[in-house]
Amino acid sequence: MKSIFAQEFSRIELGRRGENLARRIVFDLTEWQKTYGEGVAMLAALLPGEATPYPCSVSQEKNTLIWPLTSADTSVSGTGKCELSYYVGEQLIKSVIFQTYIAESLAAPGDAPDPRESWIEDILASGADAIAAKTAIENMSVSSETLSCERSAIVEKSERDGHVHLTFFLPKGENGTPGARGESGYTPIRGVDYFTPEDIAYFDGRIDERLGAIGGALDELHAYAQGLVIGGDAS
């Protein structure tokens, strides 16, 4: 597949009518990421002669957005348009309108993608939910409670002020020979008593890897913390 790098104020050559996965268009998101922070990018295209844009099937890879051109994207020859949108929470940033061109061929005209009026709202909602869930994990809090010695250690996950909270229920030790009175205990501190730098790195990696399926990542994080308490590791 040939890669075409989109340039502002330059026409993007999409290939010939009817071509399928022969080219992919690459958009650079670096400046938006530097200026506005991490966000969700999307692309709308308008086929030659059409009045309604449609959402393109794209993938976001680090600082680029990639649009692999299918036969539906090249179904009509002539001059069209496309436009990038970038969402950071409720903030919306738009690119220039790129001019696109599809050359004629002997292939019969194909079917254009069906436009969806709600596609912007759908993508915005899913992106905002994922970013909010990531923030909830990054700002999570921890507390602990003491159980009787015959109980097993457990970890419960809840939400406090929109952030993930982990409560560690830890059994006290069995009674032994009384000793000298010790100093007063204290509530375990996040990052000191439970999570090492490697644990935090693991959380960050799982968050970024599973941002598109954030619900599953939360469950895995819960299980990981449970393993730390019960088994001492999380393989």
Side-chain angles (χ1 to χ4, degrees):
M1 187 181 299
K2 183 178 181 180
S3 295
I4 307 296
F5 293 87
Q7 302 290 332
E8 289 190 356
F9 311 113
S10 296
R11 189 173 74 175
I12 304 175
E13 302 292 335
L14 303 186
R16 298 188 178 279
R17 178 164 56 85
E19 287 185 333
N20 185 61
L21 301 179
R23 299 185 177 199
R24 66 177 191 168
I25 311 303
V26 181
F27 298 89
D28 189 356
L29 306 176
T30 302
E31 290 305 315
W32 277 351
Q33 291 174 339
K34 288 181 179 178
T35 303
Y36 303 104
E38 293 295 329
V40 178
M42 49 178 286
L43 180 70
L46 188 65
L47 287 173
E50 297 290 334
T52 305
Y54 68 92
C56 303
S57 177
V58 296
S59 62
Q60 188 168 331
E61 299 180 5
K62 296 184 179 179
N63 63 332
T64 61
L65 187 74
I66 299 175
W67 177 24
L69 297 171
T70 67
S71 56
D73 299 311
T74 62
S75 58
V76 182
S77 61
T79 301
K81 300 176 181 179
C82 68
E83 180 185 58
L84 280 171
S85 295
Y86 190 70
Y87 294 94
V88 181
E90 296 183 355
Q91 190 175 31
L92 168 62
I93 303 95
K94 285 184 173 287
S95 71
V96 300
I97 296 178
F98 295 89
Q99 298 295 318
T100 61
Y101 181 73
I102 302 170
E104 185 60 89
S105 75
L106 295 179
D111 295 327
D114 293 328
R116 295 175 53 204
E117 295 181 358
S118 64
W119 62 283
I120 293 179
E121 290 78 7
D122 292 344
I123 295 179
L124 175 58
S126 62
D129 289 345
I131 292 172
K134 179 178 180 180
T135 301
I137 295 175
E138 291 175 337
N139 294 286
M140 69 179 175
S141 57
V142 175
S143 65
S144 67
E145 295 187 19
T146 302
L147 301 175
S148 58
C149 59
E150 68 273 7
R151 298 282 300 277
S152 298
I154 60 173
V155 180
E156 287 188 357
K157 179 185 67 179
S158 59
E159 182 177 314
R160 294 187 182 180
D161 299 324
H163 303 306
V164 172
H165 181 82
L166 297 179
T167 303
F168 290 78
F169 293 88
L170 306 174
K172 65 180 180 180
E174 297 181 357
N175 293 331
T177 302
R181 181 179 180 86
E183 297 180 359
S184 298
Y186 67 99
T187 299
I189 300 173
R190 174 188 175 191
V192 175
D193 299 283
Y194 298 108
F195 300 124
T196 65
E198 290 77 12
D199 297 329
I200 298 303
Y202 176 87
F203 295 157
D204 290 340
R206 294 303 297 169
I207 291 166
D208 292 335
E209 179 184 347
R210 297 290 300 278
L211 188 57
I214 197 66
L218 283 171
D219 292 337
E220 290 182 12
L221 177 60
H222 179 207
Y224 181 84
Q226 179 83 8
L228 285 177
V229 174
I230 297 174
D233 67 329
S235 56

